[in-house]
Amino acid sequence: MSTLQVVEVVLLAGCLVVALWLVLLWLRRRALSAHGPVSPCAVRLPGSHRWRLGLLRLSSGQLDWFSVSGMTTSPTMSWSREGLDISTPSTELVSIPGLMSAVSLTLSGSSGDLADLALEPKIYPAVRSWLESAPPGRGVNVT
């Protein structure tokens, strides 16, 4: 094999790896969205200054966060809907690579602050509505 052929084979293999990775990310995103709406967001844990980019899913009983770089379909972090509270979004936009414009809000529970979330401003009303509505099976016999 000549040097040019070796370079072509290496470039082809690299392109195939990138294409396979993109297809796997697309399949993972479809699998995640099959169980509830998914939107891009970032999370910052208490005591940390670093935002981690990921996907937020609203399921019937919990708020799930998935790392954007992982291949697993199980959530990296999960917060139970019961007892969860979110603050109003900050007035200033947060600059996070991967999110066009984002507002930050704080998730809190009975044990205190759980995490900070950065969401696109148009996603916040959906998360607030999800949190304030009754979970399935709750209050069905209310008169």
Side-chain angles (χ1 to χ4, degrees):
M1 279 182 127
S2 70
T3 306
L4 184 58
Q5 288 175 328
V6 170
V7 169
E8 287 175 349
V9 168
V10 169
L11 286 176
L12 177 65
C15 288
L16 288 175
V17 166
V18 168
L20 177 65
W21 179 69
L22 290 174
V23 167
L24 288 174
L25 281 179
W26 178 76
L27 288 172
R28 177 181 180 247
R29 173 79 184 247
R30 293 213 14 124
L32 294 178
S33 64
H35 301 289
V38 175
S39 65
C41 77
V43 68
R44 180 175 60 186
L45 297 175
S48 175
H49 297 290
R50 189 182 88 148
W51 288 98
R52 295 177 53 199
L53 195 59
L55 298 170
L56 187 68
R57 180 175 69 190
L58 307 172
S59 62
S60 63
Q62 58 193 20
L63 190 64
D64 297 326
W65 183 82
F66 301 87
S67 175
V68 76
S69 61
M71 283 293 153
T72 180
T73 57
S74 60
T76 306
M77 288 181 246
S78 191
W79 301 280
S80 175
R81 186 179 195 168
E82 189 111 3
L84 186 65
D85 190 31
I86 59 173
S87 67
T88 56
S90 64
T91 56
E92 59 188 51
L93 295 177
V94 180
S95 176
I96 299 172
L99 290 176
M100 295 301 270
S101 62
V103 293
S104 69
L105 49 100
T106 302
L107 288 176
S108 57
S110 58
S111 61
D113 289 349
L114 304 172
D116 292 328
L117 282 181
L119 304 167
E120 293 180 8
K122 64 182 180 183
I123 302 299
Y124 171 74
V127 174
R128 173 63 76 182
S129 297
W130 169 85
L131 185 62
E132 291 177 353
S133 65
R138 300 287 254 182
V140 293
N141 295 325
V142 175
T143 57

